[in-house]
Amino acid sequence: MTKVVLAGANGHGRHHLGNLRRLAGRGVVELVGICDVRPVEVDFGAPRRSADLGALVEKTGAEITIICTPIHTHADLAVTALRAGSHVLLEKPPAPSPEEHRRIAEAVAETGLACQVGFQSLGSAAVPALRELIASGALGAVRGIGGAGAWERPAAYFTRSAWAGRRRLDGVDVVDGALTNPFAHAVATALALTGSGVAGIETELYHANPIESDDTSCVRIRLDDGLTVTIAVSLCAAERHEPYLVVHGDRGRATLVYTEDRLRVEHADGTVTTTVYERTDLLENLIDHVRTGAELLVPLDRTESFTRVLDAVRLAPEPQPIPGRYQAVERDEAGEAVRRVLPGIAELTARSADELALYSELDVPWTRVSLLAGGTEVAAYETRPDLPATASPRPYLHRVRTLGGVEVTEVRPEDHVHHLGAGVAISDLGGVNFWGGRTYVKDQGPAWLDDHGTQRHRAFTRLADDGFTEELEWAGPDGRVVAREERVVTARPLGRHWALDFSFTLTNLTGAPVEVNSSATKGRAGAGYGGFFWRAPGTSTDRATLPGGEQDVHGSRGRWVALSGTDPEGRDWTLVFVQDDGDAWFVRNTEYPGVGQALAWDRPLVVADTLTRRVVTVVADGRLSRDEAESLAAEALAPESLAAEV
């Protein structure tokens, strides 16, 4: 009999205990040891107990160690078992990063022992059968593989252990999420169907439950052979739907329900065949490998592509919260949420698999960030814009509109393609262009330089109907992060109008004081732009500024300025910009309509540690008078408005 040690006998480890009981009953294995920090009852054999895996393997002479412990412990325990002289059956996912994966691989190479990864679906004979179907051309030219999975999980699922629903724990990567744990088999099985390397990965991560990781997510994997794989999954379905993969060919379509080993093939001639295949237990396969040299079904080196996908999830921005208005919440008698459901999510994952599309490409409302003021949608927010480097890519508000529906922002206008709605842009922060376009060079003028930075969305620490708190990184062209930003945006009703309250705090990460410069500080008089900036539509006519003309308000340091115009349908609008920091205003009206801060109006602004600014913009229907604008400006910054926000 093969001596086996089980590390991690609780939770999913009970499944392994059941399998070991079955094999022990057949005289195939002997459970000689259990390594766990919690006690567990075993009704077969007489295993030793120890929290020291290496010592347990050595004392028992175990030939195989099953590791079914938290993800972030896999590498340490696998290396320990291998170096103690034991082959390893390692629960999926194998490791929380490529570095940890390599550590295990190095121990495998060093010891000459085997490491089988517990992707049970890859033990199915359906996988090589489908792989052969693809390779033979029976499905014709394959354009892609789609995967879908929608399960229901109670709130308790995400609190079952300290690492459940976490991306990291005590500073250590865990990467527990829908794609990387419960539906990891969908990703691994899809990758196993072609054997091609990974060329690129796109991720979209969301969560309806109040957790750190994703419970609803999708990924697009572009392979070296040109094939596209998409996987869309969720743990927020009303009921369980068996996950599946569908291979799209121009002469047929094959669907593998990998939890049932069932392969359905629809041929071009209209015939349909369905076959249920046998599945080999991965522990038995490992035992056969040890005893007879049989080929391992899931050796560690064949899971490298999966770990690359996991790493893309690990490095992705934090999952985006799904606002409550898109959820159906089941509550207990005390009012506590016991389960969250996304209506229609099973159909949505199926659409993704059929169209090889990400959630954001399927017009799903909760993939978009929108702001509501008094129940009316008034703005959208783009977190990951697809822009050229010369535009200094950054998150921005767009389709900002009055309560009457008049749009008052513009994105990438022909006159300045780097103008992006409303947001934060600085032409020179420590020598990096976070504004876009050309950089003004002293004694030379505007020039194209390779100095464009990027503002990267990292996380929403708050996301609600009325606004959000966001964490961003400001990175230079070399990828080095020079500043961190916290951005707080709130939309609130203001009488017959509404106000956009926008504040940001930049934290200098360079290790030394950093300068904010502008074209004006380098010699171009009046071009002091940099900070909060709002680009209004250039199609608006009859534009005007308050409290005076453009020459009067440009460079002024009053509490407020206003910009008005008329849209192509003849509807008037007014924007009243209000500050409490005394910065100069940068105002354009004749050349194009735009208003913003001038943090470095005529001299550099030195930031030793942090820079905080706040601008409240009243978005109004109609053309306001000076008195009306001034009254709204006072109301926008009134103490009661601040109290209402808090």
Side-chain angles (χ1 to χ4, degrees):
M1 289 194 292
T2 301
K3 294 181 178 180
V4 178
V5 160
L6 174 61
N10 288 285
H12 186 64
R14 295 190 182 94
H15 164 79
H16 287 286
L17 275 176
N19 194 37
L20 287 165
R21 182 187 297 106
R22 176 182 68 86
L23 294 176
R26 289 171 41 193
V28 176
V29 302
E30 179 186 1
L31 178 61
V32 294
I34 290 179
C35 180
D36 205 307
V37 295
R38 292 182 293 167
V40 60
E41 292 186 9
V42 179
D43 58 3
F44 67 100
R48 285 176 176 262
R49 314 294 180 111
S50 174
D52 185 335
L53 180 61
L56 185 61
V57 170
E58 291 175 356
K59 287 178 181 178
T60 60
E63 297 171 84
I64 292 175
T65 299
I66 301 171
I67 297 174
C68 186
T69 57
I71 301 165
H72 57 293
T73 66
H74 282 189
D76 283 344
L77 293 178
V79 169
T80 296
L82 288 163
R83 288 180 175 163
S86 174
H87 302 275
V88 169
L89 173 59
L90 181 61
E91 190 54 67
K92 56 77 190 165
S97 70
E99 292 73 23
E100 297 287 85
H101 192 286
R102 279 193 289 273
R103 281 185 58 211
I104 304 171
E106 288 167 359
V108 169
E110 171 192 321
T111 62
L113 298 171
C115 179
Q116 173 116 287
V117 180
F119 285 112
Q120 301 100 313
S121 59
L122 298 185
S124 174
V127 174
L130 180 51
R131 192 161 50 227
E132 173 58 28
L133 201 65
I134 295 170
S136 69
L139 299 176
V142 173
R143 65 182 178 91
I145 301 172
W151 287 346
E152 83 289 357
R153 286 291 184 269
Y157 174 82
F158 302 102
T159 58
R160 69 191 189 279
S161 65
W163 56 271
R166 301 292 298 270
R167 284 167 68 80
R168 57 195 67 83
L169 182 64
D170 299 329
V172 177
D173 290 321
V174 174
V175 204
D176 177 47
L179 277 171
T180 54
N181 196 357
F183 291 108
H185 296 90
V187 177
T189 306
L191 292 170
L193 292 178
T194 69
S196 178
V198 173
I201 303 168
E202 301 169 71
T203 62
E204 289 187 3
L205 310 178
Y206 306 91
H207 62 80
N209 288 275
I211 58 175
E212 186 179 75
S213 64
D214 57 291
D215 57 35
T216 301
S217 47
C218 57
V219 63
R220 176 184 285 132
I221 309 163
R222 301 190 187 279
L223 302 179
D224 290 334
D225 61 7
L227 209 62
T228 295
V229 174
T230 62
I231 309 291
V233 298
S234 179
L235 298 173
C236 299
E239 59 187 12
R240 179 184 174 104
H241 297 261
E242 292 304 322
Y244 63 89
L245 300 172
V246 56
V247 180
H248 299 276
D250 61 7
R251 291 175 48 202
R253 171 183 171 120
T255 302
L256 172 61
V257 181
Y258 61 80
T259 54
E260 299 175 348
D261 307 309
R262 176 163 49 86
L263 179 61
R264 183 177 190 269
V265 182
E266 303 167 55
H267 301 276
D269 61 6
T271 60
V272 177
T273 58
T274 300
T275 308
V276 177
Y277 289 84
E278 295 293 328
R279 177 181 294 201
T280 300
D281 178 73
L282 295 182
L283 176 56
E284 292 185 72
N285 174 243
L286 178 57
I287 293 170
D288 285 345
H289 173 78
V290 173
R291 291 283 180 257
T292 69
E295 183 180 358
L296 283 180
L297 289 172
V298 198
L300 180 69
D301 59 359
R302 291 186 195 164
T303 64
E304 288 180 1
S305 291
F306 173 84
T307 301
R308 280 198 58 189
V309 175
L310 180 146
D311 200 46
V313 171
R314 180 178 72 92
L315 297 175
E318 301 298 298
Q320 181 173 305
I322 298 175
R325 67 181 183 273
Y326 300 116
Q327 303 179 29
V329 183
E330 298 179 11
R331 300 184 183 277
D332 60 19
E333 293 181 356
E336 294 294 322
V338 296
R339 191 162 71 111
R340 296 174 186 269
V341 173
L342 294 175
I345 189 63
E347 293 76 14
L348 185 62
T349 61
R351 279 185 60 202
S352 170
D354 195 50
E355 300 177 30
L356 301 176
L358 300 177
Y359 288 141
S360 63
E361 298 166 342
L362 296 173
D363 198 31
V364 183
W366 44 257
T367 65
R368 302 186 295 270
V369 179
S370 57
L371 273 64
L372 277 66
T376 300
E377 188 170 321
V378 292
Y381 190 65
E382 179 60 62
T383 59
R384 294 196 283 180
D386 183 13
L387 294 170
T390 53
S392 295
R394 56 196 182 272
Y396 57 87
L397 288 152
H398 62 108
R399 296 194 64 243
V400 182
R401 46 208 181 273
T402 67
L403 292 178
V406 182
E407 200 158 313
V408 290
T409 51
E410 187 170 16
V411 174
R412 292 184 63 76
E414 290 185 6
D415 54 75
H416 292 80
V417 294
H418 49 278
H419 286 184
L420 304 174
V424 184
I426 295 176
S427 60
D428 185 335
L429 177 66
V432 181
N433 180 343
F434 288 103
W435 181 271
R438 294 178 294 176
T439 299
Y440 194 87
V441 180
K442 187 176 182 179
D443 299 326
Q444 178 181 334
W448 286 108
L449 304 178
D450 294 327
D451 64 346
H452 295 89
T454 302
Q455 297 174 26
R456 297 193 295 244
H457 165 84
R458 291 306 307 166
F460 286 115
T461 56
R462 171 185 174 267
L463 179 60
D465 291 349
D466 66 342
F468 55 82
T469 300
E470 180 185 21
E471 295 178 353
L472 304 96
E473 292 176 340
W474 291 43
D478 59 356
R480 183 174 65 94
V481 178
V482 298
R484 181 176 62 248
E485 180 193 348
E486 180 183 73
R487 182 174 299 183
V488 183
V489 177
T490 305
R492 48 186 166 83
L494 196 66
R496 295 182 296 107
H497 314 296
W498 71 278
L500 179 76
D501 198 329
F502 191 115
S503 66
F504 66 92
T505 297
L506 274 180
T507 300
N508 176 13
L509 300 180
T510 65
V514 65
E515 283 190 356
V516 174
N517 274 285
S518 66
S519 298
T521 65
K522 302 173 186 177
R524 185 184 174 193
Y529 51 82
F532 173 82
F533 180 71
W534 187 302
R535 171 60 195 248
T539 55
S540 295
T541 57
D542 298 325
R543 300 193 296 260
T545 59
L546 291 172
E550 180 178 351
Q551 291 184 341
D552 299 315
V553 295
H554 181 61
S556 66
R557 294 179 182 270
R559 175 166 284 199
W560 67 275
V561 297
L563 177 67
S564 297
T566 304
D567 82 346
E569 296 181 25
R571 298 175 297 179
D572 291 333
W573 54 266
T574 302
L575 301 171
V576 184
F577 301 91
V578 194
Q579 66 164 339
D580 204 19
D581 298 299
D583 292 311
W585 290 107
F586 176 83
V587 182
R588 286 286 185 264
N589 185 26
T590 306
E591 180 185 356
Y592 64 83
V595 175
Q597 294 169 307
L599 298 176
W601 175 251
D602 52 11
R603 62 178 62 88
L605 173 65
V606 178
V607 180
D609 185 17
T610 61
L611 169 69
T612 298
R613 289 294 187 271
R614 175 174 179 243
V615 174
V616 180
T617 306
V618 180
V619 182
D621 285 295
R623 190 174 292 265
L624 303 181
S625 68
R626 174 172 177 162
D627 288 346
E628 289 172 322
E630 188 167 25
S631 175
L632 283 170
E635 189 177 352
L637 283 182
E640 55 266 29
S641 295
L642 300 181
E645 277 184 58
V646 176

